[in-house]
Every structure is written in C-alpha cells, then in structure tokens.
Amino acid sequence: MGSHYDVVVVGAGFAGLYAVHKMRDELGLDVQAFEAAGGVGGTWWWNRYPGARCDFESIHYSYSFSEEIQRGWEWSERFAGQPEILAYLEWVADKLDVRRAFRFNTRVTSTNWDDKAARWIICTDDGATCTARFVVSCVGGLSVAKEPEFPGSETFRGELYRTSSWPHEPVDLTGKRVAVIGTGSTGIQVIQEIANEAAELTVFQRTPNFAAPLGNEPVDLAQRRWNAEHHAELRAGSRQHMIGVPYDPPSGPALAATPDERRRIFDKYWDRGGFRLLVSTFSDVIFNQQANETIAEYIRERIRERVKDPATAALLCPTDHPYASKRPPFETGYYEAYNLPHVHLVDVRSAPIEAITPTGVRTSSKSYEFDVIILATGFDVFTRPLLNLGLRGRDGLKLEDRWANGPTSYLGVQIAGFPNLFVINGPKSAVALYNVPLATEDNVNFVAAALARAIADKTATFEATYEAEEAWGRLCEGILNLTVIPHSKGSWYMGENIPGKARAAYFFAGGAPLYRAICAEIAHVGYGGFALDRVSAPIPPMVRLDPAAALLLGSMLARVMKPLDELNLDEVRAVAESLRELQLPGPAMRVETVEAPRARIYIPDRAGPLPVIVFYHGGGWISGSLDLADAPCRRLADENGAIVVSAHYRLAPEHSFPAATDDTFAALSWVWKHVSAYGGDPGRIVVMGESAGANLAAVAAIRARDAGIPLAGQVLIYPPIDPEASTASRTEFADGPFFTRAIGEKMWGAYLGGAELTALAAPSRASSLAGLAPALVLTLELDISRDEAEDYAGALASAGVPVRLHRFDGLFHGVFNMSAFIPRVREMYASIGEFVATCKEQITEAA
Ligand code: N01
C-alpha cells in the first residue's frame, strides 16, 4: 500500500505551499505533497501566456502570514507580471523549505476513503499508492481549462496554444497571422500584449467585457524597499474589507447621487486599478440593476471614446449583462489595440465558430486563415479540479454523483460524505471575490486548527454534515440572488461557461469579513455543522441567517464596529441613532408634536375616526429616540390608516426604573383622553413597541387593564420580558448575531438601577394576565429574547387572551429598524397590518 502520512496535500500554488508549511512546520505533522506541474507556482507556473499578471496590487496579492517574507520581497511593478509572481513563489518555497515535501510531475488519479481504517488511499499517475489520515486539496479553482467545443483542432497545420498551458520557451509571433479566441481576463491580457507583435491579429469575441484600466506602473527602487518595510501599514484593515484589500469604502448609493456626482466618483476610480471601480464607487452597483446601469453606461462611454471606429466600439460595448456580474477584467491599452489597422474584431455571437480547420477558423459565415491560434476560452471552474482527483467518499460515494445537481460544500472547506477531506478555496468558499492569498491563508488556518483539534482529541473522522451543507448552500444562493450576478449569462461565477454544467452559486458572495466571522463562530462553538466521529455539533446561528441580514451584518463588520457590549453609553446611543440610516424613509404626512407628555402624532390623510397606534421605540431603555421611530411610525400610520402616537420616555441610567414605564403609561392615558381631537378613535387603541419599547408596551397593556383603559390590541415586537428568564435562546444566541446577551444584561441592569424586579418591569410576573388586550407577538429565530417572548405569548394565551405569535426565521434582534437592507421586514409590517385590521373588526363587532 505504500507509505502512510498524516496529511497529503495536493497542489503547489499559493495554497499548497502555505498548507505544507502550516501542517508540517507548525503542527509537526508528517506531510506528503503532490503537484502535477514540474515546479511550484500553481496557476503562475501554468499560465505563462504573454501579458499574464495579477490585478490586485502585488503588495496585497502576496502572503501576509510572515513578517520575514513580507519584508524580504520587493515588487518591481504595482501589478506584477507572471514571471515575477512565479519567482516570488519559488523564493517563498525555498525560504519555507517546502519543495522537499512535494513530488512534482505527479498527478493524483484517485482518492478513495477507507472507512474501516478511517484514512484515504491516494493513487498517483506514476503508479504509486499511499495512505493518509487527512487530504488537503489545494488544487485551485481556475486550474483546469475548459474543453474547447470546436472540432478539428487536431487538423490545424499552424501553431495552436492554450493560454493555460503556454510553452515555457518564448513563442515568436512576429510576422504571423494570429487568432485569439476569447475575451475574458486572459484574452484581454494576451490581445493587448501581442497586438504590436503579430502581423495580423484577429480577435474572436462572443461576449464583450467591461474592462477598466489596470493602472499598472513600475515601482522605483526606493519605493519598493519602502513598500516592503511598510507592508503592515499598507495592508492594515485588509481582512475587514469586503474583498480583502483596504480600498476606499463606497460613497453611498449611486441612485442617491446626481449624475454629476456619479461622474466625479467614477472618474476618480476609473483608472486607479484593482477592483476600486466596483468597491470604492457606490454601494448599490452590485445589488441594484438600475444603479449598475449607471456604471455600465459610464464604462461604455469610455470605450466609445477610445475606439475610433464606431462599429467596432459598438461591438466592444457589453449590453447583455450587468457590470461585475461576470468577473471584471482589467486592461492596459486593450481598446486602443483595435485602432491598429492590422487588428480585427470578429463577432462570433452572430456567426459562431463552427470548426478549427487545417488552415484556420471557420465561422458560420466565413473562413479565416492563420499561422497561430490562441485559445483563451476559460476554465471548468471549482468543480473539475476536485473531480479530477477521482474522489470517492463514504460507501464508495462518487463526487460526480454527489455533485450531479451542482456543487455542495460547507464553507467551501468540506463536502458531506467525504470525511477528513479538506478543500482550500473550494466551491462556495469566499475566494472568487476575496483577494486570493488572504482567502487562502484564512482557509488553511481554519483547516489547520480543525486538524489540530482532531489530533488532540483523537478524533478519527471530521466531516461536514449534510444539514450544514444545505444551510450553507441556501445562504450562498440567497446572498448571490441579492446581487446582479445571477443576471449574467455564461459566467463561470454561475457555472454557465461550461455547456451542461449545473447553474448554481459557485461561491460565497458575502465578503471577507462575514465569511471570516462565520468561520470563527463555527470554530468557537466546537465546529458547529461538522460531525466529529459522527457526533454533530449544531449549525451555528450565523449560518442560519437570512441572506439580507447576513449581508448587512457583513457590512457592519467591515466598518470595524466594536461588539455592542464593548461600547460605552454614548457609543450605544450613537449606534442606535445610526440605525436610522438603515431604515426605509417613511412617507410624508402631517405630524403634530405635543410637549406634555412629549410625543409626535402622525396623522394620515384619511377620513376618521381612525384606529390609533401608541408606539414606543426600542434601544434597551438606555438609547433610542422619537427620531429613531420616525420612519417606522410614518409607515405604520400610512399602511394601517392609523393615527400613530410616538411617545417619548426618559432613558436610563439617568432615569432608571420606573421612569420609562411611568412615562409610557402616562402617554397612553393621555392618548386615550385626547386622541379624538386628532381624528383618532379612543375605542381602537393598539399599544405597540419594539424591543425594550415592546417590554414597555406589554407593561402598559397591564396597567391599562388595571386602570380601566380599553385597548384594542397590543403588538410586541421581539420584547425582552424578564431579565432572569433562563431560556435556550439566551444561551444559543449569547454571542449574537449582532445583539448579545452581555449587552442585553447591561441594558436591563441600567434600566432597573438596582430596583426590585416586579411586574412593572417583567410583565410575565403580573399576578394575572387575564383580560388583557389581544396580542400580536413577533419573535426572531436568532434572538436572545425569542424564548421569553414566546413563553409570554403562551402565558397570555393560557390566561385566555387571544394571541397571535409570528416567528421570523433567520433574523436577529433589531431588524425592525433595518428595513432598507432587510426586505423581509416588510413581512413584519404585513403581520402587524393584518393584526391591526383584526383589532378593528373586533371592536366593530363588539360595537
Ligand atoms: O476565462 P473566461 P479567462 N466560442 O471564462 C470565450 C482569472 N484570471 O481565462 O463570455 C467563442 O473569463 C468566452 O466567451 P463568452 C479571473 O478570475 C485572472 O479569461 O462565454 N468564445 C470568454 O470571452 C478570470 O475571470 C487574471 O461568450 C468562447 C472567454 O472565452 C478567470 O481567470 C487573468 C467560447 C473565456 O473567458 C477566467 O478568465 C486571467 C466559444 N465556444 C484570468 N467558449 C488576472 O488578471 C469560451 N469563449 C489576475
């Protein structure tokens, strides 16, 4: 059977080199690595085509784990070319002394799980076999070229090259008639590089691309040294950024800007390179088709400015997919190449390529003759490199069968049914939009920690559960569906560039901070969603997030927001007020203010008398304001045709218990007496609150009953009920998402100010709940107060109170104030609307 190893690593690119170092040198494991190429470098070993270079700045497109490596290498260009990147990886391999762990020119042909021995059996194309407890695949996502669909390539009498397996010797194109098929990132780099070398260059384009200037330039010697020495400050904050590079944050939504402002911002980032045009311009271009069209048209304008022949310019302008729905390419003089008399553009959308002939290329309308054909037709992305490992998991499960309907994975790191197989940057990982070296280091670090845990605990099998994979798949798909990416056609992002390949979400589009936070949470809770020796740990809350809530959380993390429970009082208040930016604006209407008690009265333009909602804002009794409640109150008034009275109350800790409950009850009493003067019906008052405001509403309902004030209903939006409640949700969501148990406890503490706990603070402690107004209780799946609120709903029902309970999956505490970013908040308004309408009916019936 050959040798046995702790770990087999496959691949010697960015991932493989670091994985070997990490597993061998840091974990002290016995590691054997295989690489099909003749040396290290991965994609940079294979893709030697003219013009190949990176498009994240080299200072960022490099390892970050070692101070010595970062200080020791100087990049000669802003965006280094392939030879320099390969030299860098060779230098790193020598520094880490990892070459000796590899067998080069050796391809893994089959990888079979032996369940009895809990190990993998790995066969290679040199006829050897070995076994390993763990396999770590570092085969990369873009490492297997797409099989060209053109028949006849073997008959071509000239030279035929694939960009992804370009010869190691120089290829001389001078004086030759050259064809390039494909205008993705690769094709564009080749075309601009060889345009001046070939005698005739014919580009076969099926889909034009939105290419923007790379902004490459040489870096002088002094600057190179400075960059290496100041890597820490240059790279600071990279991992908090959505794509893992500390580019400027965007300037809000494009649709909120004037055309001139948009132009100014697009101009600013147009030729600065990297992904700035996508991530530093406007926040909505990737999410909103209309916003996207503003940047798409800007790029088309720039193309038209640069290409002299209007017909050629029109062909080069993409019109069938949104900007960045396909991976955006970068260029240097690409469009100007088409102004050269010997460069020709052929549209193969209208006349597709039918065959490669002995003398050239035949399309459905014409034959062309060439000396050289260059295929830049892309890759069978993410799945094919893994399928080529010949993987069979538990019970002989073939990866092909497992993935018949598209790839599945948990975090992109493991595939259910394939124990002890770890994948670096696999399908549904964050790598497609996350700077590769950092994404790679994160994945390797996660896997290394998992291996260390398995080894320490003598765990024989470590595997993702099917349930976790499903949840992860839902999150990946849900997030992608919030972007314009599914509107692309034929993109490898969706697996659509390969005929017959399943259309699916091939990557996690939630950005680096969210991906990292999820991975950290999973590890922190003992590898939630994984089964260790077949004992599975629950799927952590962040994996169960509603996709829009997840994205919002990701952008909060990207703003390096401190955890809520680490904020001081002023900071908590500022965060609460900042939630207004996350709300949909409320409709215009008449608003009256009264001073005693302090309140705002929202009066929709309807014939009265109208039902009345008395609303108490949230904010943990220590923050929040009438301003925070303004947009929700306008919407509640508008949607329910109701007078809404937004009542002020004094905040703790300056005014602790019972100030807030006294104020809110006083406001309710005032409304009962005076609301008819504003067109409201005092017989149809619904008391309502959000979060701490919901607690105050529940207490106000009890006080109203006791004081003989008739209420038509009470709406409790995720109310905290009792600080001493001992519930599962308090434990499960103690660390969030977003709202934590620690901040909840701090808020309760400030509110009570040491007072004895009574029913005036914890309504479930009332001596009786009978006779209270009908209740609607809205709860959120991922919220510490979920269970106490649901228990309270149960107690109300037991006391004979009509109760509706509506739980919203995937949402966290506070979302009611985040309506602009979490579309499902509208379901909460709909639920309230139905309830308020019922309250009306009940009163009408009673009347
Ligand atoms: O591949 P692609 P790529 N007839 O799939 C065309 C990374 N990368 O190698 O769009 C005619 O993007 C196809 O046309 P269409 C980067 O992540 C990075 O260029 O399917 N044409 C398209 O024009 C990138 O996204 C760098 O209509 C056919 C092209 O071939 C990824 O690699 C540099 C065809 C394929 O474009 C892949 O880029 C290079 C057919 N039958 C690559 N089949 C950096 O700068 C395919 N095409 C870091």
Side-chain angles (χ1 to χ4, degrees):
M1 184 62 76
S3 308
H4 180 75
Y5 304 100
D6 295 325
V7 183
V8 156
V9 169
V10 190
F14 267 101
L17 301 186
Y18 181 52
V20 167
H21 165 67
K22 189 90 189 169
M23 314 292 165
R24 186 193 66 182
D25 305 333
E26 289 190 17
L27 299 190
L29 300 177
D30 186 12
V31 179
Q32 174 62 53
F34 298 105
E35 167 58 61
V40 301
T43 211
W44 300 104
W45 193 92
W46 292 99
N47 286 269
R48 294 164 187 253
Y49 60 83
R53 66 177 64 247
C54 60
D55 56 12
F56 283 81
E57 283 95 330
S58 292
I59 189 79
H60 300 298
Y61 189 80
S62 47
Y63 289 116
S64 73
F65 72 90
S66 155
E67 173 70 15
E68 195 189 338
I69 288 174
Q70 290 187 98
R71 290 179 79 91
W73 186 266
E74 297 175 8
W75 293 103
S76 71
E77 290 182 88
R78 257 186 98 203
F79 299 93
Q82 174 271 336
E84 188 171 358
I85 302 171
L86 181 59
Y88 165 77
L89 289 169
E90 287 171 340
W91 174 79
V92 170
D94 289 337
K95 263 218 146 352
L96 300 175
D97 189 22
V98 287
R99 284 183 205 258
R100 64 188 166 83
F102 280 90
R103 284 226 306 270
F104 294 103
N105 298 306
T106 308
R107 194 174 279 282
V108 171
T109 50
S110 74
T111 315
N112 284 287
W113 175 247
D114 173 353
D115 203 28
K116 234 181 179 165
R119 64 186 186 178
W120 286 99
I121 305 165
I122 301 108
C123 299
T124 46
D125 61 356
D126 56 0
T129 298
C130 67
T131 57
R133 186 169 169 193
F134 302 102
V135 170
V136 179
S137 165
C138 300
V139 293
L142 290 151
S143 53
V144 179
K146 174 187 172 182
E147 284 302 324
E149 303 102 286
F150 321 118
S153 53
E154 67 293 346
T155 67
F156 181 56
R157 291 201 289 266
E159 303 158 57
L160 190 139
Y161 300 108
R162 281 182 160 204
T163 48
S164 55
S165 49
W166 196 263
H168 287 212
E169 315 71 49
V171 174
D172 186 8
L173 301 174
T174 44
K176 293 182 180 160
R177 297 164 302 167
V178 180
V180 175
I181 304 178
T183 52
S185 302
T186 305
I188 285 171
Q189 288 186 334
V190 175
I191 292 160
Q192 65 198 18
E193 188 74 14
I194 66 172
N196 282 312
E197 192 183 341
E200 292 288 328
L201 175 62
T202 304
V203 176
F204 290 88
Q205 172 191 273
R206 188 164 65 182
T207 310
N209 239 315
F210 289 103
L214 182 64
N216 189 29
E217 58 192 12
V219 180
D220 68 38
L221 287 175
Q223 186 68 41
R224 288 180 206 176
R225 189 67 244 137
W226 192 93
N227 287 349
E229 275 166 13
H230 293 80
H231 64 86
E233 68 193 77
L234 290 171
R235 304 186 78 175
S238 293
R239 284 184 158 91
Q240 274 78 50
H241 194 283
M242 297 303 272
I243 63 166
V245 189
Y247 290 154
D248 295 345
S251 313
L255 294 180
T258 65
D260 284 349
E261 283 165 351
R262 282 200 292 264
R263 176 97 206 171
R264 190 176 57 75
I265 297 289
F266 291 149
D267 281 348
K268 178 172 172 190
Y269 293 105
W270 166 242
D271 54 7
R272 290 182 53 195
F275 276 64
R276 292 184 174 85
L277 200 55
L278 175 63
V279 299
S280 296
T281 54
F282 293 104
S283 54
D284 51 353
V285 291
I286 194 70
F287 298 112
N288 181 302
Q289 286 262 36
Q290 209 188 332
N292 191 280
E293 183 51 26
T294 65
I295 196 166
E297 185 48 27
Y298 174 86
I299 299 173
R300 288 191 286 260
E301 261 178 49
R302 305 303 301 246
I303 295 172
R304 288 190 286 262
E305 278 166 19
R306 292 169 62 185
V307 179
K308 286 189 188 140
D309 172 41
T312 306
L315 265 185
L316 287 166
C317 286
T319 51
D320 71 343
H321 63 277
Y323 172 66
S325 64
K326 292 179 139 183
R327 204 270 198 188
F330 295 89
E331 53 81 36
T332 308
Y334 173 65
Y335 291 108
E336 285 74 11
Y338 292 96
N339 296 333
L340 299 171
H342 65 282
V343 176
H344 317 287
L345 182 63
V346 174
D347 172 27
V348 293
R349 166 85 54 207
S350 54
I353 297 173
E354 288 183 345
I356 292 182
T357 65
T359 52
V361 172
R362 191 180 73 235
T363 70
S364 60
S365 71
K366 197 174 163 187
S367 288
Y368 300 82
E369 296 201 344
F370 299 111
D371 305 309
V372 179
I373 297 175
I374 298 172
L375 295 177
T377 48
F379 297 88
D380 192 344
V381 175
F382 283 130
T383 47
R384 181 52 55 191
L386 284 161
L387 291 169
N388 284 356
L389 295 179
L391 277 157
R392 276 172 179 257
R394 274 195 198 284
D395 306 318
L397 176 66
K398 277 186 179 172
L399 188 57
E400 279 92 337
D401 296 337
R402 182 80 181 80
W403 282 355
N405 299 319
T408 59
S409 83
Y410 188 37
L411 302 176
V413 163
Q414 271 211 321
I415 306 153
F418 295 80
N420 294 8
L421 166 71
F422 292 89
V423 183
I424 306 305
N425 301 332
K428 298 188 195 287
S429 71
V431 73
L433 285 182
Y434 181 12
N435 182 19
V436 172
L438 300 195
T440 299
E441 288 177 355
D442 286 0
N443 258 199
V444 171
N445 293 342
F446 180 88
V447 170
L451 294 198
R453 160 83 187 259
I455 288 161
D457 293 358
K458 300 194 167 36
T459 303
T461 58
F462 196 118
E463 59 200 304
T465 66
Y466 284 85
E467 296 74 23
E469 256 194 10
E470 258 175 54
W472 184 247
R474 272 196 304 275
L475 186 61
C476 289
E477 194 148 333
I479 289 178
L480 208 67
N481 285 339
L482 292 168
T483 73
V484 297
I485 291 169
H487 298 283
S488 69
K489 292 188 197 82
S491 169
W492 65 257
Y493 275 178
M494 305 292 298
E496 284 188 315
N497 65 325
I498 304 293
K501 191 166 175 172
R503 184 178 203 272
Y506 279 74
F507 68 100
F508 173 81
L514 182 62
Y515 182 77
R516 288 170 48 74
I518 293 174
C519 290
E521 182 186 49
I522 287 170
H524 175 70
V525 300
Y527 293 97
F530 290 95
L532 279 61
D533 283 338
R534 297 202 184 234
V535 179
S536 54
I539 301 168
M542 284 180 95
V543 179
R544 287 144 54 192
L545 278 168
D546 167 87
L551 266 185
L552 180 60
L553 198 63
S555 71
M556 290 175 180
L557 293 166
R559 280 191 264 156
V560 205
M561 224 178 82
K562 270 198 275 180
L564 281 183
D565 40 273
E566 288 175 20
L567 304 181
N568 64 33
L569 182 63
D570 287 341
E571 288 169 332
V572 170
R573 287 179 176 170
V575 167
E577 290 313 310
S578 73
L579 295 178
R580 287 162 59 194
E581 292 164 27
L582 307 183
Q583 297 171 338
L584 284 174
M589 65 180 62
R590 189 179 137 212
V591 183
E592 301 272 336
T593 51
V594 288
E595 285 308 322
R598 236 167 87 194
R600 279 186 204 162
I601 306 176
Y602 297 83
I603 306 166
D605 188 12
R606 317 271 166 91
L610 301 176
V612 179
I613 293 170
V614 180
F615 187 85
Y616 307 130
H617 66 77
W621 305 279
I622 61 172
S623 66
S625 66
L626 298 188
D627 287 341
L628 175 64
D630 184 70
C633 287
R634 287 172 186 273
R635 187 166 170 186
L636 286 166
D638 183 59
E639 290 187 7
N640 296 290
I643 303 273
V644 175
V645 181
S646 178
H648 166 81
Y649 56 89
R650 285 168 292 165
L651 297 179
E654 295 89 336
H655 306 279
S656 57
F657 179 83
T661 178
D662 286 350
D663 290 354
T664 45
F665 180 60
L668 179 59
S669 309
W670 181 89
V671 169
W672 182 51
K673 288 188 195 128
H674 297 95
V675 79
S676 51
Y678 297 87
D681 178 352
R684 285 192 285 165
I685 297 175
V686 174
V687 68
M688 187 182 302
E690 184 250 349
S691 186
N695 164 281
L696 296 169
V699 173
I702 295 171
R703 295 179 79 168
R705 175 200 63 186
D706 296 346
I709 299 174
L711 290 185
Q714 51 178 323
V715 176
L716 312 179
I717 305 170
Y718 43 85
I721 295 294
D722 189 323
E724 290 171 4
S726 164
T727 61
S729 63
R730 282 210 174 196
T731 308
E732 199 183 348
F733 310 114
D735 295 326
F738 184 62
F739 196 84
T740 61
R741 182 174 173 155
I743 183 74
E745 284 171 356
K746 264 192 195 173
M747 288 169 161
W748 268 114
Y751 176 44
L752 293 174
E756 194 194 333
L757 194 57
T758 69
L760 287 183
S764 54
R765 295 181 183 230
S767 54
S768 166
L769 299 175
L772 289 175
L776 170 66
V777 181
L778 304 183
T779 62
L780 308 170
E781 183 197 358
L782 313 176
D783 177 12
I784 48 168
S785 46
R786 181 194 72 194
D787 291 351
E788 64 204 76
E790 293 183 359
D791 289 347
Y792 186 60
L796 287 171
S798 302
V801 177
V803 177
R804 286 188 198 182
L805 175 64
H806 196 157
R807 183 199 279 197
F808 295 85
D809 287 344
L811 297 180
F812 53 76
H813 199 91
V815 289
F816 190 69
N817 286 311
M818 303 173 185
S819 51
F821 290 86
I822 304 183
R824 281 183 52 222
V825 171
R826 88 165 73 88
E827 293 172 27
M828 302 178 92
Y829 279 91
S831 184
I832 292 168
E834 279 171 30
F835 176 78
V836 170
T838 320
C839 291
K840 256 191 264 182
E841 279 159 26
Q842 277 178 1
I843 298 298
T844 314
E845 276 164 25

